Amino acid sequence: MGFLDAVLGRRKAARPNLDALFALPSAAITLQVGLDLLPTGRGSVAFRAPEGRAFADLEAEVRRLLDADGGPPISVATDDFGYTWLVVESDPVDLPTVVTDLHAVNTSLVDAGFGPQLLCSLASFRDPDGRALSMVYLYKRGTFYPFAPVGEPAEQRRDNVLELRVRDLVTGELPIEPDMTRWFALWGAPGG
């Protein structure tokens, strides 16, 4: 950052560290012990899909990459805001496999030049009572935050107490987003 940037209050954007995703399995143990939250074996990557042949070729390559190990195929969904979600699942539930697949999808998109279109990745958890939690990785910030929807997506309610408890529990294990205004709601997110 240069002198003029400092005077004008401009900051460099945080460089995403996709390897931070590999800290999720360790944090999952903390979530299980502290809050009885278990991984569901589902996760997803959200991005703004560009038009054209290059992206269609990349999507086919990502599918081939993830299907190569004989695992379940990825599914593709589009949300109400026009973001594309690539959803990965492991059966039986295996969070390290989900994390590896999420990392592979993100890396493939970045390597193909689609990094600026990446929004977030998430891995989902549930407790025995059915409470849902997603640990969301913000690509452009290089940080995680918890998102805990309550009820149906149409109700659009969050369990803020659970989100704060999760934040406090995993702060030492994951880079947590300090600006809570960036803890965006992902109502009905595929893979969540």
Side-chain angles (χ1 to χ4, degrees):
M1 181 161 73
F3 174 74
L4 193 55
D5 291 332
V7 169
L8 297 175
R10 290 184 274 196
R11 289 193 243 164
K12 274 189 174 177
R15 293 224 11 107
N17 176 13
L18 291 177
D19 289 344
L21 290 169
F22 291 116
L24 274 173
S26 173
I29 294 169
T30 302
L31 291 173
Q32 180 178 358
V33 171
L35 297 170
D36 209 16
L37 288 160
L38 298 170
T40 64
R42 293 176 49 102
S44 56
V45 175
F47 57 97
R48 175 79 61 196
E51 301 291 326
R53 171 86 180 171
F55 182 74
D57 291 345
L58 176 65
E59 183 180 339
E61 179 59 31
V62 167
R63 284 178 182 269
R64 275 193 298 279
L65 173 71
L66 296 181
D67 293 344
D69 63 359
I74 63 171
S75 58
V76 179
T78 304
D79 67 18
D80 294 339
F81 299 102
Y83 283 93
T84 299
W85 294 78
L86 295 176
V87 181
V88 298
E89 247 179 289
S90 69
D91 186 25
V93 173
D94 183 14
L95 184 59
T97 297
V98 170
V99 167
T100 300
D101 289 348
L102 293 174
H103 188 275
V105 169
N106 279 297
T107 302
S108 297
L109 290 166
V110 169
D111 289 349
F114 297 111
Q117 282 85 14
L118 286 170
L119 176 66
C120 66
S121 295
L122 65 85
S124 65
F125 297 81
R126 287 208 184 276
D127 73 4
D129 296 327
R131 278 190 313 180
L133 173 81
S134 291
M135 287 305 300
V136 181
Y137 178 74
L138 292 172
Y139 179 78
K140 289 178 175 65
R141 304 280 293 175
T143 56
F144 288 88
Y145 71 89
F147 173 63
V150 177
E152 297 300 315
E155 294 177 42
Q156 296 191 352
R157 293 183 304 125
R158 297 172 78 158
D159 186 342
N160 298 113
V161 173
L162 177 59
E163 291 175 356
L164 294 174
R165 289 180 67 198
V166 168
R167 176 200 63 189
D168 294 344
L169 202 57
V170 299
T171 290
E173 297 181 58
L174 298 173
I176 298 296
E177 175 56 48
D179 182 356
M180 290 176 56
T181 64
R182 295 186 182 269
W183 290 21
F184 304 111
L186 299 173
W187 306 118

